[in-house]
Amino acid sequence: MRVYLVIMDETEEASTALRFAASRAARTGGQVHLLALVPRQQFVAFGGIQATIEEEARARAEALVTSAAGSLLSDGVAAPAIAVRQGEGVSVIKEYLSEHPEVSALVLGAAASGGPGPLVSHFAGVSGQLPCPVYIIPGGIGAADLERLG
């Protein structure tokens, strides 16, 4: 079974990557894994405040992937695997890939304009060192073209 790993956040790029991965999974009888990243806080507040800030960030990430999972189910795609992890994005993704050898492809969305973003820049540069291919979905791609490619 093909497994497509999508890094979820609140950007349009993540939504585009998710639509592509869902389409591919539906066509290949595969599955989507959703990974939400919770960045470490840049500052350390007093104990209780810090814990509250971190819990709120985790809750937002969990709500995001739960919503994305719901949209996949309504589109007829098999239930996705969901993970929420805290840490620096590149490190967390590499760790996830090493823990999940069943992942067939890392699916990232590029911005429609401006720079490609830190994850796309990094993983495009090291794609030859990864255990799976990297699909970079253009941000300006239309829904019809996305469906055709998926």
Side-chain angles (χ1 to χ4, degrees):
M1 175 185 347
R2 295 184 184 260
V3 176
Y4 302 92
L5 174 61
V6 177
I7 312 308
M8 286 306 304
D9 59 23
E10 296 170 337
T11 64
E12 185 59 35
E13 293 88 357
S15 296
T16 300
L18 178 60
R19 286 192 307 272
F20 174 83
S23 178
R24 292 292 298 166
R27 288 186 184 187
T28 63
Q31 184 183 25
V32 175
H33 282 204
L34 301 175
L35 175 60
L37 304 174
V38 179
R40 295 204 189 281
Q41 299 301 313
Q42 298 297 328
F43 63 95
V44 178
F46 294 104
I49 296 171
Q50 183 69 28
T52 300
I53 292 169
E54 290 175 358
E55 184 55 37
E56 287 174 356
R58 183 170 194 79
R60 278 193 310 275
E62 288 173 354
L64 177 69
V65 292
T66 300
S67 173
S71 72
L72 289 178
L73 291 173
S74 68
D75 289 342
V77 178
I82 296 174
V84 177
R85 302 233 179 132
Q86 184 175 19
E88 190 273 323
V90 169
S91 299
V92 171
I93 294 167
K94 285 181 177 180
E95 182 180 297
Y96 189 90
L97 289 172
S98 70
E99 293 171 2
H100 295 273
E102 72 275 14
V103 171
S104 304
L106 171 60
V107 182
L108 300 171
S113 63
L119 294 180
V120 171
S121 294
H122 176 80
F123 286 106
V126 300
S127 60
Q129 302 166 14
L130 296 174
C132 64
V134 177
Y135 293 172
I136 300 173
I137 312 306
I141 194 167
D145 287 332
L146 191 62
E147 180 63 29
R148 181 180 55 79
L149 293 174

